[in-house]
Amino acid sequence: MHIVYITVEFVTEKMSGGLGTYVDNMAKIMSARGHKVSVITLSHEDKEFYYQDRIRVIRVTENRSQNVILRTLANSWRLRHELQKLDRKDKVDIAQTASLHAIGFFRSRKIPSIVRISSDNALLRHADQYVFDMERAVWDKTLFDRMELYAVRHADYAFAPSKCCGRIVAERARCKVGVIESPYLVQTQNYDDSVYQNKLAGKKYLLFNSTLSTLKGTHVSIAAMDELMCLYPYLYVVYAGIDNGIISSDGVRIPAKNILSQFNKKYNGRVIYLGCLKREQLFPIIANAYACVLLSRIENLSNSCIEAMSLKKIVIATYGASFEQLIRNKKNGLLIKRDSHKALLKAVKYLESMSEEERARMKISAQKSIERLGEESVYNNMIKVYSDLIKKFRRKIV
């Protein structure tokens, strides 16, 4: 089977996040099982090459027009053109497109099309405001939102990694959306523990391992900081991620690192911002954390949560953001009310009250609970969807 992944980001590019990691994982899983895999990604240049000797990567120069609608249409049209060109050269059996930026808006009618929903633009937009109104976000549809939803609705099949995101997009797009959880590949690369050794070795710390933003709930930890520092004078608080800024009550975006720097001075170096780290630097920091804290207002299926649980970490995360799909409260992690710094403090207090044996059991349970995301299980689920869709598509065009 020749499978093509069409994406706005990939691990071979300068900017790559959770979507790039997902495509990388799926490409490796499918390729390792004998399937031909190609990745068509937006990039800074037009170029074709092979990644890890067996995965074809086709770079397409991204249109950078200031007009978001024109940019979106131009990029989607160009990606479709590259897909059709590839199909003429090396027949494509199925194309899987990311939902971001409506890159599947112009789909090829000759190739079975599947859309993986990475997020919903309206949810992300509203969740990054000072006040988050979920109901209002669900019903808000800009022209750009409608373009993304059109691409979802006109695919042959659409799925999301999380039940929460899938349910919301199904309602907004008015179509069926399946749920297929993303794979987790065990990390085997050499770790770089230099940042951990230089800045964190010997310290007991809570790790906030996500983008610093209102969307990711950084404002909640900031609201809890004074009480947290005073109640637990032996505890450090560590942040690792891109700083997108915190939205103030008057709508101003304030760099989070400026706020954290002030706390760092106030509490004698116990509040540490590490910036955005490479994965090989981040994993030793996750592995040695007392607990990982993820306070997102909305998520899909959080890579940060999965990675932490795979390393036997207790994760404190929010209800209503899709973490419930991974965490059972007080069984394999802790779930708290969204946007509540009091709930965060209560969770830390509960964590501190647990015995070493109880924490050890919770850590083991966390690791075991994501075994279902192993590559063999995900492969079987995904290849069945691909095969069924290809058969259905062929019957339709005959």
XYZ file of all heavy atoms in Angstrom, residues 62-135:
612
model
N 5.742 27.057 1.228
C 4.513 27.593 1.820
C 4.210 29.003 1.302
O 5.090 29.853 1.214
C 4.654 27.640 3.342
C 3.420 28.147 4.061
C 3.587 28.152 5.560
O 4.691 27.803 6.034
O 2.615 28.513 6.257
N 2.951 29.221 0.957
C 2.507 30.570 0.597
C 2.390 31.388 1.883
O 1.773 30.949 2.847
C 1.155 30.503 -0.123
C 0.675 31.868 -0.589
O 0.332 32.723 0.220
N 0.646 32.063 -1.895
N 2.957 32.579 1.903
C 2.981 33.386 3.118
C 2.215 34.700 2.950
O 2.558 35.720 3.546
C 4.422 33.660 3.549
C 5.183 32.384 3.918
C 6.560 32.662 4.453
N 7.258 31.438 4.798
C 7.108 30.786 5.950
N 6.273 31.249 6.867
N 7.789 29.683 6.197
N 1.174 34.677 2.160
C 0.340 35.869 1.968
C -0.221 36.348 3.305
O -0.535 35.549 4.198
C -0.815 35.546 1.015
O -1.781 36.573 1.022
N -0.346 37.667 3.462
C -0.907 38.231 4.679
C -2.402 37.941 4.793
O -2.974 37.988 5.871
C -0.670 39.753 4.709
C 0.796 40.145 4.845
C 1.408 39.625 6.134
O 0.884 39.825 7.229
N 2.537 38.923 6.002
N -3.034 37.656 3.665
C -4.462 37.323 3.655
C -4.619 35.837 3.968
O -4.234 34.973 3.181
C -5.066 37.639 2.285
C -6.572 37.437 2.242
O -7.074 36.379 2.612
N -7.292 38.460 1.791
N -5.165 35.525 5.143
C -5.216 34.142 5.611
C -6.044 33.245 4.690
O -5.727 32.070 4.493
C -5.757 34.071 7.062
C -7.207 34.524 7.143
C -5.614 32.664 7.622
N -7.100 33.781 4.079
C -7.951 32.977 3.201
C -7.202 32.635 1.917
O -7.178 31.470 1.490
C -9.258 33.725 2.875
C -10.010 34.077 4.175
C -10.140 32.865 1.968
C -10.348 32.894 5.058
N -6.585 33.637 1.310
C -5.818 33.393 0.089
C -4.655 32.443 0.366
O -4.357 31.551 -0.440
C -5.299 34.710 -0.486
C -6.350 35.667 -1.052
C -5.690 36.950 -1.542
C -7.127 35.002 -2.189
N -3.986 32.622 1.511
C -2.871 31.752 1.884
C -3.336 30.305 2.041
O -2.693 29.373 1.557
C -2.236 32.256 3.183
C -1.029 31.441 3.618
C -0.315 32.100 4.782
N -1.069 32.028 6.026
C -1.521 33.072 6.695
N -1.312 34.296 6.235
N -2.185 32.931 7.830
N -4.458 30.132 2.702
C -5.004 28.793 2.935
C -5.364 28.104 1.622
O -5.018 26.937 1.400
C -6.248 28.880 3.841
O -5.884 29.469 5.090
C -6.847 27.508 4.079
N -6.050 28.814 0.747
C -6.456 28.242 -0.536
C -5.240 27.918 -1.400
O -5.183 26.849 -2.028
C -7.379 29.213 -1.273
C -8.760 29.443 -0.632
C -9.512 30.543 -1.371
C -9.573 28.148 -0.621
N -4.266 28.814 -1.419
C -3.064 28.595 -2.236
C -2.289 27.373 -1.758
O -1.830 26.549 -2.565
C -2.185 29.845 -2.207
N -2.132 27.227 -0.448
C -1.393 26.090 0.091
C -2.120 24.774 -0.171
O -1.496 23.768 -0.539
C -1.161 26.273 1.587
C -0.080 27.294 1.896
O 0.862 27.459 1.121
N -0.201 27.984 3.013
N -3.434 24.769 0.020
C -4.203 23.554 -0.221
C -4.140 23.145 -1.694
O -3.976 21.962 -2.019
C -5.659 23.760 0.202
O -6.418 22.595 -0.063
N -4.256 24.118 -2.582
C -4.206 23.831 -4.024
C -2.847 23.256 -4.418
O -2.756 22.298 -5.172
C -4.496 25.103 -4.809
C -4.538 24.884 -6.301
C -3.532 25.068 -7.203
C -5.660 24.394 -7.057
N -3.943 24.734 -8.473
C -5.250 24.314 -8.410
C -6.957 24.012 -6.711
C -6.094 23.883 -9.426
C -7.805 23.574 -7.732
C -7.377 23.519 -9.058
N -1.782 23.827 -3.890
C -0.438 23.371 -4.221
C -0.180 21.958 -3.684
O 0.439 21.123 -4.358
C 0.581 24.358 -3.641
C 2.017 24.015 -3.945
C 2.397 24.222 -5.417
N 3.645 23.537 -5.735
C 4.842 23.966 -5.363
N 4.969 25.099 -4.684
N 5.927 23.283 -5.690
N -0.646 21.687 -2.472
C -0.470 20.355 -1.893
C -1.236 19.306 -2.701
O -0.750 18.197 -2.926
C -0.928 20.358 -0.431
C -0.004 21.122 0.533
C -0.707 21.372 1.854
C 1.305 20.375 0.758
N -2.435 19.668 -3.120
C -3.207 18.747 -3.958
C -2.484 18.489 -5.280
O -2.428 17.349 -5.760
C -4.591 19.340 -4.223
C -5.428 18.509 -5.199
C -6.591 19.307 -5.733
N -7.172 18.651 -6.900
C -8.140 19.158 -7.633
N -8.641 20.330 -7.311
N -8.604 18.523 -8.674
N -1.924 19.535 -5.863
C -1.177 19.389 -7.114
C -0.005 18.417 -6.943
O 0.228 17.551 -7.793
C -0.656 20.761 -7.563
C 0.256 20.701 -8.748
N -0.200 20.455 -10.033
C 1.615 20.838 -8.851
C 0.828 20.436 -10.868
N 1.931 20.668 -10.180
N 0.715 18.537 -5.825
C 1.850 17.645 -5.567
C 1.384 16.213 -5.363
O 2.060 15.262 -5.775
C 2.643 18.135 -4.356
C 3.443 19.394 -4.606
C 4.481 19.232 -5.703
O 5.090 18.140 -5.796
O 4.683 20.183 -6.469
N 0.240 16.037 -4.718
C -0.316 14.693 -4.516
C -0.665 14.068 -5.865
O -0.345 12.898 -6.110
C -1.556 14.761 -3.633
C -2.341 13.454 -3.463
C -1.490 12.403 -2.758
C -3.637 13.694 -2.687
N -1.313 14.819 -6.736
C -1.700 14.278 -8.040
C -0.473 13.966 -8.899
O -0.449 12.967 -9.622
C -2.615 15.283 -8.750
C -3.977 15.409 -8.089
C -4.858 16.449 -8.749
O -4.383 17.506 -9.169
N -6.146 16.161 -8.843
N 0.541 14.808 -8.799
C 1.787 14.567 -9.535
C 2.456 13.279 -9.048
O 2.956 12.472 -9.847
C 2.719 15.763 -9.369
C 3.951 15.719 -10.255
C 4.660 17.067 -10.309
C 5.345 17.392 -9.013
N 6.193 18.616 -9.123
N 2.463 13.092 -7.726
C 3.035 11.875 -7.149
C 2.235 10.652 -7.569
O 2.808 9.600 -7.891
C 3.058 11.993 -5.619
C 3.530 10.764 -4.835
C 4.972 10.418 -5.195
C 3.410 11.010 -3.328
N 0.910 10.777 -7.604
C 0.039 9.662 -7.984
C 0.310 9.216 -9.412
O 0.274 8.012 -9.718
C -1.422 10.085 -7.823
C -2.388 8.954 -8.130
O -2.187 7.844 -7.600
O -3.343 9.174 -8.900
N 0.586 10.159 -10.309
C 0.894 9.806 -11.696
C 2.226 9.064 -11.798
O 2.404 8.180 -12.642
C 0.929 11.070 -12.563
C -0.441 11.694 -12.806
C -0.392 12.764 -13.890
N 0.412 13.910 -13.504
C -0.069 14.978 -12.883
N -1.361 15.039 -12.565
N 0.715 15.993 -12.569
N 3.143 9.391 -10.931
C 4.476 8.794 -10.948
C 4.531 7.478 -10.182
O 5.230 6.534 -10.584
C 5.475 9.795 -10.357
C 6.911 9.340 -10.334
C 7.855 10.466 -9.940
C 7.580 11.013 -8.556
N 8.552 12.062 -8.149
N 3.796 7.406 -9.055
C 3.870 6.248 -8.152
C 2.509 6.114 -7.478
O 2.258 6.732 -6.450
C 4.978 6.485 -7.118
C 5.301 5.253 -6.309
O 4.618 4.226 -6.484
O 6.239 5.312 -5.493
N 1.627 5.334 -8.057
C 0.214 5.301 -7.673
C -0.008 5.330 -6.164
O 0.565 4.539 -5.414
C -0.474 4.072 -8.258
C -1.961 4.003 -7.893
C -2.680 2.917 -8.622
C -4.108 2.751 -8.093
N -4.854 4.039 -8.056
N -0.854 6.249 -5.734
C -1.177 6.436 -4.317
C -2.461 5.676 -3.981
O -3.470 5.801 -4.678
C -1.365 7.939 -3.994
C -1.835 8.134 -2.552
C -0.072 8.703 -4.255
N -2.431 4.886 -2.909
C -3.618 4.126 -2.507
C -4.527 4.926 -1.587
O -5.753 4.795 -1.651
C -3.191 2.823 -1.806
C -2.511 1.874 -2.772
O -3.181 1.392 -3.695
O -1.299 1.628 -2.622
N -3.923 5.744 -0.715
C -4.734 6.543 0.205
C -3.941 7.762 0.673
O -2.709 7.701 0.809
C -5.193 5.705 1.426
C -6.295 6.437 2.200
C -4.037 5.318 2.326
C -7.101 5.523 3.118
N -4.641 8.871 0.866
C -4.004 10.102 1.340
C -4.633 10.524 2.655
O -5.862 10.628 2.762
C -4.166 11.221 0.301
N -3.797 10.719 3.668
C -4.276 11.199 4.968
C -3.811 12.636 5.164
O -2.615 12.921 5.122
C -3.766 10.327 6.112
C -4.255 10.802 7.481
C -3.886 9.848 8.596
O -4.073 8.639 8.475
N -3.360 10.376 9.692
N -4.765 13.527 5.401
C -4.488 14.952 5.492
C -4.745 15.457 6.898
O -5.705 15.038 7.554
C -5.394 15.724 4.503
O -5.225 15.175 3.194
C -5.058 17.198 4.470
N -3.906 16.358 7.369
C -4.165 17.028 8.648
C -5.304 18.024 8.467
O -5.509 18.565 7.378
C -2.906 17.749 9.124
N -6.045 18.278 9.538
C -7.161 19.223 9.450
C -6.702 20.673 9.558
O -7.420 21.591 9.133
C -8.179 18.937 10.560
O -7.594 19.159 11.847
N -5.512 20.891 10.114
C -5.031 22.247 10.348
C -4.950 23.063 9.067
O -4.495 22.577 8.028
C -3.648 22.212 11.007
C -3.592 21.883 12.497
C -2.151 21.853 12.966
C -4.396 22.874 13.318
N -5.372 24.321 9.152
C -5.280 25.282 8.051
C -6.006 24.810 6.793
O -5.685 25.261 5.688
C -3.817 25.591 7.724
C -3.025 26.036 8.917
N -3.471 26.999 9.797
C -1.813 25.638 9.387
C -2.575 27.181 10.742
N -1.560 26.359 10.533
N -6.983 23.919 6.965
C -7.813 23.462 5.843
C -6.971 23.000 4.655
O -7.317 23.238 3.498
C -8.779 24.575 5.398
N -5.867 22.313 4.917
C -4.979 21.937 3.809
C -5.605 20.863 2.918
O -5.128 20.609 1.817
C -3.590 21.480 4.305
C -3.701 20.277 5.250
C -2.853 22.623 4.951
C -2.360 19.660 5.571
N -6.701 20.253 3.383
C -7.413 19.299 2.540
C -8.614 19.917 1.848
O -9.488 19.204 1.341
N -8.669 21.237 1.790
C -9.820 21.929 1.188
C -10.008 21.492 -0.267
O -11.110 21.220 -0.715
C -9.615 23.447 1.261
C -10.822 24.243 0.858
C -11.811 24.543 1.781
C -10.969 24.701 -0.442
C -12.936 25.274 1.420
C -12.086 25.434 -0.818
C -13.072 25.726 0.112
N -8.908 21.443 -1.027
C -8.954 20.941 -2.393
C -8.449 19.502 -2.390
O -7.253 19.252 -2.530
C -8.083 21.798 -3.319
C -8.559 23.201 -3.498
C -7.830 24.254 -2.972
C -9.736 23.472 -4.174
C -8.267 25.560 -3.128
C -10.182 24.777 -4.337
C -9.446 25.825 -3.813
N -9.360 18.552 -2.230
C -8.958 17.162 -2.189
C -8.983 16.572 -3.587
O -9.672 17.073 -4.479
C -9.860 16.355 -1.272
C -11.336 16.393 -1.652
C -12.073 15.171 -1.162
N -11.595 13.960 -1.799
C -12.137 12.763 -1.590
N -13.153 12.638 -0.762
N -11.651 11.700 -2.202
N -8.238 15.511 -3.797
C -8.268 14.804 -5.070
C -9.430 13.820 -5.055
O -9.570 13.033 -4.118
C -6.956 14.048 -5.294
O -7.050 13.221 -6.430
N -10.250 13.878 -6.082
C -11.402 12.973 -6.171
C -11.012 11.587 -6.664
O -11.827 10.671 -6.652
C -12.457 13.578 -7.102
C -13.085 14.864 -6.580
C -13.913 14.599 -5.352
N -14.392 15.833 -4.737
C -15.075 15.879 -3.601
N -15.342 14.751 -2.941
N -15.473 17.033 -3.090
N -9.753 11.442 -7.090
C -9.302 10.154 -7.615
C -8.640 9.279 -6.554
O -8.313 8.129 -6.822
C -8.305 10.385 -8.761
C -8.912 11.101 -9.968
C -7.871 11.301 -11.058
C -8.468 12.005 -12.272
N -7.451 12.216 -13.324
N -8.416 9.852 -5.379
C -7.690 9.142 -4.317
C -8.520 9.149 -3.037
O -9.025 10.205 -2.643
C -6.329 9.821 -4.058
C -5.485 9.839 -5.338
C -5.568 9.110 -2.933
C -4.244 10.706 -5.239
N -8.681 8.003 -2.367
C -9.400 7.992 -1.083
C -8.773 8.984 -0.106
O -7.549 9.036 0.039
C -9.231 6.551 -0.590
C -8.941 5.759 -1.818
C -8.194 6.672 -2.736
N -9.618 9.758 0.551
C -9.132 10.833 1.421
C -9.604 10.648 2.853
O -10.785 10.414 3.115
C -9.635 12.185 0.891
O -9.400 13.219 1.815
N -8.656 10.768 3.777
C -8.974 10.658 5.199
C -8.383 11.880 5.904
O -7.286 12.324 5.581
C -8.412 9.332 5.779
C -8.783 9.159 7.250
C -6.926 9.224 5.601
C -8.476 7.753 7.768
N -9.128 12.455 6.832
C -8.660 13.635 7.561
C -8.494 13.300 9.035
O -9.414 12.760 9.662
C -9.638 14.820 7.409
C -9.266 15.947 8.362
C -9.604 15.356 5.988
N -7.316 13.601 9.563
C -7.091 13.482 11.007
C -7.244 14.869 11.622
O -6.563 15.812 11.245
C -5.697 12.945 11.318
C -5.413 12.883 12.825
C -3.973 12.493 13.077
N -3.666 12.398 14.499
C -3.126 13.377 15.225
N -2.847 14.550 14.663
N -2.873 13.215 16.506
N -8.147 14.977 12.588
C -8.438 16.257 13.217
C -7.438 16.511 14.338
O -7.424 15.807 15.349
C -9.891 16.277 13.746
C -10.862 16.111 12.569
C -10.174 17.559 14.511
C -12.244 15.701 12.970
N -6.593 17.503 14.134
C -5.570 17.838 15.122
C -6.135 18.718 16.225
O -5.680 18.673 17.369
C -4.402 18.565 14.445
O -3.860 17.777 13.428
N -7.106 19.561 15.873
C -7.684 20.497 16.831
C -8.848 21.197 16.146
O -9.176 20.889 14.997
C -6.643 21.534 17.271
O -6.200 22.270 16.144
N -9.452 22.137 16.815
C -10.473 22.978 16.196
C -10.061 24.429 16.397
O -9.784 24.858 17.521
C -11.845 22.721 16.817
C -12.910 23.608 16.185
O -13.407 23.254 15.108
O -13.209 24.671 16.767
N -10.014 25.170 15.313
C -9.510 26.537 15.345
C -10.268 27.427 16.320
O -9.674 28.231 17.049
C -9.561 27.127 13.933
C -8.815 28.434 13.833
O -7.643 28.521 14.167
N -9.494 29.476 13.383
N -11.599 27.296 16.361
C -12.406 28.144 17.253
C -12.116 27.835 18.717
O -12.018 28.735 19.555
C -13.891 27.967 16.962
N -11.957 26.562 19.041
C -11.649 26.176 20.418
C -10.302 26.750 20.846
O -10.163 27.289 21.943
C -11.634 24.656 20.561
C -12.983 23.940 20.528
C -12.772 22.438 20.627
C -13.887 24.419 21.653
N -9.307 26.622 19.970
C -7.985 27.155 20.297
C -8.025 28.673 20.451
O -7.393 29.238 21.349
C -6.979 26.780 19.204
C -6.708 25.282 18.997
C -5.639 25.093 17.933
C -6.280 24.618 20.299
N -8.779 29.325 19.588
C -8.878 30.791 19.625
C -9.516 31.269 20.927
O -9.011 32.181 21.582
C -9.688 31.258 18.417
C -9.773 32.766 18.247
C -10.398 33.123 16.921
N -11.766 32.677 16.761
C -12.158 31.731 15.911
N -11.285 31.109 15.153
N -13.439 31.380 15.820
N -10.606 30.637 21.299
C -11.323 31.054 22.509
C -10.586 30.653 23.781
O -10.623 31.367 24.782
C -12.741 30.470 22.514
C -13.691 31.206 21.630
N -14.535 32.185 22.091
C -13.918 31.129 20.299
C -15.251 32.671 21.092
N -14.889 32.036 19.987
N -9.917 29.501 23.743
C -9.212 29.021 24.936
C -7.979 29.859 25.251
O -7.445 29.777 26.355
C -8.822 27.555 24.763
N -7.547 30.663 24.301
C -6.383 31.518 24.545
C -6.797 32.954 24.902
O -5.993 33.870 24.825
C -5.453 31.532 23.324
C -4.026 31.898 23.701
O -3.587 31.514 24.798
O -3.339 32.573 22.904
N -8.059 33.129 25.286
C -8.528 34.425 25.770
C -8.572 34.419 27.306
O -8.496 33.363 27.931
C -9.920 34.733 25.204
C -9.956 34.781 23.681
C -8.973 35.786 23.102
O -8.916 36.939 23.512
N -8.171 35.332 22.141
N -8.737 35.587 27.887
C -8.735 35.695 29.351
C -9.835 34.836 29.964
O -9.616 34.115 30.938
C -8.906 37.162 29.755
C -8.852 37.393 31.254
C -7.649 37.272 31.956
C -10.004 37.725 31.970
C -7.587 37.467 33.315
C -9.955 37.930 33.336
C -8.749 37.804 34.006
O -8.695 38.000 35.360
N -11.049 34.892 29.381
C -12.172 34.065 29.833
C -12.490 33.056 28.739
O -12.619 33.421 27.565
C -13.418 34.922 30.134
C -14.601 34.027 30.497
C -13.130 35.906 31.260
N -12.598 31.793 29.105
C -12.880 30.730 28.143
C -14.316 30.264 28.296
O -14.706 29.735 29.328
C -11.923 29.560 28.369
C -12.157 28.389 27.448
C -12.469 28.567 26.113
C -12.043 27.092 27.931
C -12.671 27.489 25.263
C -12.234 25.999 27.093
C -12.550 26.199 25.759
N -15.121 30.483 27.239
C -16.509 30.047 27.208
C -16.612 28.931 26.172
O -16.667 29.184 24.967
C -17.415 31.233 26.833
C -18.904 30.886 26.906
O -19.247 29.699 26.765
O -19.717 31.813 27.081
N -16.634 27.690 26.633
C -16.651 26.533 25.740
C -17.874 26.540 24.825
O -17.769 26.291 23.614
C -16.625 25.242 26.556
C -16.804 23.969 25.740
S -15.335 23.465 24.839
C -14.506 22.492 26.101
N -19.042 26.845 25.381
C -20.278 26.823 24.589
C -20.217 27.853 23.457
O -20.609 27.575 22.319
C -21.480 27.103 25.488
C -22.818 26.965 24.772
C -23.999 27.116 25.717
O -23.803 27.026 26.947
O -25.113 27.336 25.209
